[in-house]
Amino acid sequence: MKKSLLLFLFLTVVVSIVYGHNKQKGDSVLKPIETSYIYRLTLKDKKGTPYELSKPEKFLSRKSILRRERQGLALDSTDLPVSPVYLKLLRNRHVAIVGTSKWNNTVLVLSKNEKDLEALATLPFVKKAQRVYKTKINFEMPSLRDNITGKFQTWNKSEKSFYGEGQKQLDMMDGKRLHDAGFRGENMTIAVLDAGFMNVDRIPAFKNVNILGTRNFVATATSDNVFQQMDHGTKTLSVMAMNQPNVFVGTAPGASFWLLRSENFDSENTVEEDYWAEAAEFADSVGADIISSSLGYHHFDDSTANHYYYEQDGHTALISRTASMLADKGIVCVNSAGNDGMGSWKKINFPADAENILTVGAITFQGLNTPFSSVGPTADGRIKPDVMAVGNSTAVVSGSGSIQHNNGTSFSCPTVAGMVACLWQALPNKSAKEIIRLVQMSSNNVEHPDNIYGYGVPDFWRAYTDGLNSSAK
């Protein structure tokens, strides 16, 4: 998500004046801040940890443990939390610990003195120290909310269609038949990783959505309230969760959701890969079945940190390495391909290059690939994107509570993620990797997959019947 911060600051102020954004009690205002730095420390081991693989209940929820047991997945050393002994030693060096990744055995440390952070590289338990964040300007973003319209307009209602605005999006994947069979995502948990979920807590249309909780992983955020800024996540959530008959019903109206903010929308720094990893690990720990991530990276504000195509092997970038681990933890990750098809990059983003995930490109309602949808293959020759879904004029609910029609693989991604929840509800004994394969094999380009259209558009009813048949053998 490449952004121009100065332009965004200017537009934010202008929009606030012209359109009268609501200033809510407790929201922050523009204020000077000091330059700060965040370093990623990669640790050598986990010595001194009090945790044991034989007692996973100390660091994983019961739901997470049962998900793994159901799929026959063993825990390993990556599941053990970062050593608290090392964390204590780091705190003694007068730096703030703002994040950890147990799967990557890394720690994020923050300080206003970069020399203090550089010195940590000499500690005997530190393998590598890398700067992943530096403030660029001396202002924090204000916390703003859009005005809420309150109710859908009369022209949004359809007397003919129960699904309303969601009908065509569902029909493209033969999803209604799965819903009609009683599989609407009940008892499935989807973690939504995004940049913000503005007004989801206040928009009436979301009142019947089962939100299990929220969490902010952006260390430099002005507030932990994920509902204050940025409605990108509001829109992606709505594609799956909306449950307003005859107006808008999404692809998984019966599912439960965790709303996790991992994207810092006012800058682009490598640390956002760390935030994403933290959010993914949290999703695992609370027992999420599916991750819907409409995020991707390749270029950063610090151009020396930019990714290159040769890195797209699913393991070189920290974010991709983390995503490639998810299926082995029992989670299906669904990630947007990216919107760089018409730019100089053209390729899928990171972590869309990860192994054992569903990378989703965008098509029109006529079934044609959109020109902006990023393409593959990965650097090691794997087919990407995996599948396609509607990402052109996709119906979404914005932060104002109104229905809009937006473009982007950001919206084709949750369309698929919601249907994956319904499919897995219908086939609870399948593993994450089996579900991924069923979705790929049900798609309409499966006979000759390519790196523009992938395996094609999934047919989720076919995936369901194929799954039943394979179970019967």
Side-chain angles (χ1 to χ4, degrees), residues 2 38-39 56 96 130 159 178 210 248 315 332 368 371 389 391 462:
K2 192 66 179 174
I38 298 178
Y39 269 54
Q130 175 186 356
E159 298 299 328
L178 209 51
N210 186 20
F248 188 178
H315 296 279
V332 173
L368 303 175
R462 177 182 170 184

Side-chain angles (χ1 to χ4, degrees), residues 97-271:
I97 295 174
V98 295
T100 63
S101 168
K102 59 186 179 181
W103 294 354
N104 296 289
N105 202 22
T106 56
V107 183
L108 293 179
V109 288
L110 179 147
S111 177
K112 296 173 184 176
N113 188 334
E114 189 170 18
K115 290 184 178 179
D116 288 345
L117 297 174
E118 291 174 342
L120 300 177
T122 63
L123 294 174
F125 56 88
V126 175
K127 180 189 299 184
K128 181 181 179 181
Q130 175 186 356
R131 188 174 78 187
V132 291
Y133 174 85
K134 176 185 177 181
T135 52
K136 287 189 64 178
I137 62 172
N138 63 339
F139 289 104
E140 286 181 328
M141 291 297 297
S143 296
L144 300 172
R145 289 182 184 256
D146 276 343
N147 289 315
I148 300 174
T149 59
K151 295 181 180 179
F152 291 127
Q153 304 300 322
T154 55
W155 58 78
N156 293 134
K157 295 183 179 180
S158 169
E159 298 299 328
K160 298 180 180 179
S161 170
F162 173 81
Y163 288 90
E165 293 282 357
Q167 182 74 58
K168 291 192 293 184
Q169 293 160 199
L170 193 69
D171 286 346
M172 289 288 289
M173 303 180 295
D174 203 9
K176 185 176 181 296
R177 294 176 72 182
L178 209 51
H179 283 196
D180 289 345
F183 306 116
R184 294 159 47 92
E186 286 83 1
N187 300 316
M188 302 300 295
T189 300
I190 303 174
V192 188
L193 277 58
D194 218 292
F197 304 86
M198 183 187 285
N199 289 335
V200 167
D201 59 334
R202 298 181 180 182
I203 296 172
F206 285 99
K207 294 301 181 184
N208 61 355
V209 176
N210 186 20
I211 297 172
L212 299 177
T214 69
R215 184 67 65 92
N216 168 62
F217 293 93
V218 180
T220 57
T222 56
S223 171
D224 283 336
N225 187 344
V226 304
F227 300 124
Q228 285 186 341
Q229 295 178 334
M230 189 67 174
D231 70 348
H232 189 265
T234 309
K235 294 175 179 179
T236 61
L237 173 66
S238 70
V239 173
M240 299 177 280
M242 196 49 48
N243 192 13
Q244 299 293 325
N246 303 113
V247 178
F248 188 178
V249 177
T251 54
S256 301
F257 299 88
W258 276 95
L259 309 184
L260 310 180
R261 181 189 177 195
S262 67
E263 158 77 10
N264 186 7
F265 63 86
D266 57 14
S267 65
E268 199 84 311
N269 287 278
T270 320
V271 72

Side-chain angles (χ1 to χ4, degrees), residues 278-316:
E278 289 181 61
E281 291 176 21
F282 177 83
D284 166 52
S285 71
V286 297
D289 303 292
I290 297 148
I291 286 176
S292 178
S293 164
S294 293
L295 298 171
Y297 305 91
H298 58 86
H299 286 174
F300 299 98
D301 295 339
D302 176 4
S303 61
T304 64
N306 288 352
H307 285 307
Y308 295 92
Y309 177 60
Y310 68 81
E311 297 178 85
Q312 287 207 326
D313 57 7
H315 296 279
T316 297

